[in-house]
């Protein structure tokens, strides 16, 4: 969902329903401002957050939105759902319906969820090639042993996707609690990895994505602008 760049003359021609020739003449005449500065370059690249004014008329003035939410259990990471409350339902912002979710959590998981209208930002955080750390606190039914640390670090083969998981860091916090750090996010990955030990996950809570950490004073169900 990256924010696509486009040439200024093509953007104006499409928005104003005019020919490229006419638009380029308008640029030469000094009728276009880009980000509050006069622009006569038809090849100038613009995107959804570039402010563009034509002859005093504001054609585009979108602002990027970045939201951090403390997701409760029982709320679904979706923009719409017929059966459950969604993360969008928890947010009171006039542009909330323009947001998309950056790294989903399943219905029975809690913790940090990021939302934005900036596709470049979300891609930078979720694209596996960037290897952004995602940190989880996990509680399981049975004791966790040193064998888990080795298995998570080596990666596990998921037959359904024909994929070996990237190395994951597991730190034992107590008898049946661990911190897990992933750089990817396969379907129910943590639950499936513990499932290899036949050890059901009882609680899954995300505390960080990259440099964004769940604030200790942000209550369950609350959100804040970044």
């Amino acid at each position: 969902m990256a924010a696509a760049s486009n040439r200024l003359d093509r953007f104006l021609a499409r928005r104003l329903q005019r020919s490229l020739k006419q638009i380029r003449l308008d640029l030469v005449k000094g009728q276009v401002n880009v980000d509050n500065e006069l622009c006569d370059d038809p090849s100038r690249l613009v995107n959804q957050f570039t402010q563009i004014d034509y002859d005093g008329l504001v054609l585009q003035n979108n602002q990027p939105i970045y939201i951090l939410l403390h997701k409760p259990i029982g709320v679904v990471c979706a923009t719409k759902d017929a059966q459950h409350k969604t993360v969008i339902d928890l947010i009171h912002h006039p542009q909330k319906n323009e947001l998309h979710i950056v790294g989903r959590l399943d219905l029975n998981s809690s913790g940090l969820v990021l939302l934005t209208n900036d596709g470049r930002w979300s891609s930078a955080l979720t694209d596996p090639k960037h290897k952004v750390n995602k940190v989880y606190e996990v509680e399981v039914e049975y004791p966790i042993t040193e064998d888990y640390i080795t298995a998570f670090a080596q990666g596990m083969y998921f037959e359904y996707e024909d994929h070996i998981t990237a190395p994951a860091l597991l730190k034992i916090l107590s008898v049946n609690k661990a911190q897990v750090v992933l750089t990817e996010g396969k379907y129910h990955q943590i639950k499936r990895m513990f499932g290899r030990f036949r050890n059901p996950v009882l609680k899954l809570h995300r505390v960080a994505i990259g440099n964004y950490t769940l604030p200790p004073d942000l209550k369950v169900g609350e959100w804040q602008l970044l």
Side-chain angles (χ1 to χ4, degrees):
M1 300 182 69
S5 295
N6 196 7
R7 284 174 57 110
L8 176 61
D9 57 353
R10 292 173 183 168
F11 171 89
L12 292 169
R14 186 176 63 252
R15 178 63 66 87
L16 298 171
Q17 296 296 298
R18 297 186 181 183
S19 69
L20 285 171
K21 181 178 179 180
Q22 182 61 55
I23 290 298
R24 288 165 186 162
L25 287 174
D26 293 339
L27 286 165
V28 172
K29 293 176 183 177
Q31 290 183 273
V32 180
N33 282 347
V34 175
D35 290 334
N36 296 316
E37 293 183 355
L38 192 67
C39 181
D40 60 4
D41 180 6
S43 65
R44 168 79 175 266
L45 293 180
V46 299
N47 60 49
Q48 72 182 97
F49 300 121
T50 306
Q51 182 177 333
I52 302 172
D53 304 293
Y54 172 81
D55 199 20
L57 175 67
V58 178
L59 296 182
Q60 179 174 275
N61 190 25
N62 300 324
Q63 300 299 316
I65 302 167
Y66 309 101
I67 285 177
L68 186 154
L69 169 73
H70 189 165
K71 176 193 166 314
I73 293 172
V75 172
V76 66
C77 273
T79 53
K80 294 181 180 179
D81 190 275
Q83 295 182 315
H84 302 97
K85 181 178 286 188
T86 72
V87 291
I88 296 294
D89 294 329
L90 299 176
I91 295 170
H92 304 287
H93 189 284
Q95 294 171 267
K96 69 178 187 178
N97 291 323
E98 300 174 14
L99 304 176
H100 61 269
I101 300 155
V102 185
R104 299 171 185 270
L105 288 173
D106 67 30
L107 182 68
N108 297 313
S109 300
S110 63
L112 172 65
V113 171
L114 299 173
L115 301 100
T116 188
N117 61 349
D118 184 350
R120 293 170 298 177
W121 184 72
S122 59
S123 293
L125 289 171
T126 57
D127 192 323
K129 71 182 180 183
H130 295 138
K131 298 182 179 180
V132 175
N133 285 341
K134 292 173 280 290
V135 184
Y136 301 83
E137 293 175 352
V138 189
E139 180 179 339
V140 293
E141 186 170 352
Y142 305 117
I144 303 168
T145 64
E146 297 291 327
D147 295 344
Y148 288 66
I149 298 175
T150 302
F152 274 61
Q154 289 177 342
M156 298 181 184
Y157 177 66
F158 286 174
E159 184 174 356
Y160 181 76
E161 294 97 336
D162 189 26
H163 173 78
I164 299 176
T165 61
L169 176 66
L170 183 144
K171 179 182 178 181
I172 299 173
L173 301 178
S174 66
V175 174
N176 65 335
K177 292 182 181 179
Q179 180 190 84
V180 176
V181 182
L182 303 179
T183 58
E184 58 184 355
K186 296 298 179 183
Y187 178 71
H188 289 321
Q189 180 171 341
I190 290 178
K191 292 181 178 179
R192 293 165 71 189
M193 293 178 83
F194 278 100
R196 293 293 171 87
F197 292 88
R198 302 194 178 188
N199 198 347
V201 171
L202 304 179
K203 293 181 181 180
L204 182 62
H205 182 75
R206 184 161 63 201
V207 296
I209 299 177
N211 294 325
Y212 301 97
T213 302
L214 190 65
D217 59 345
L218 188 67
K219 297 179 181 177
V220 176
E222 291 185 343
W223 61 277
Q224 64 183 35
L225 286 168
L226 295 174

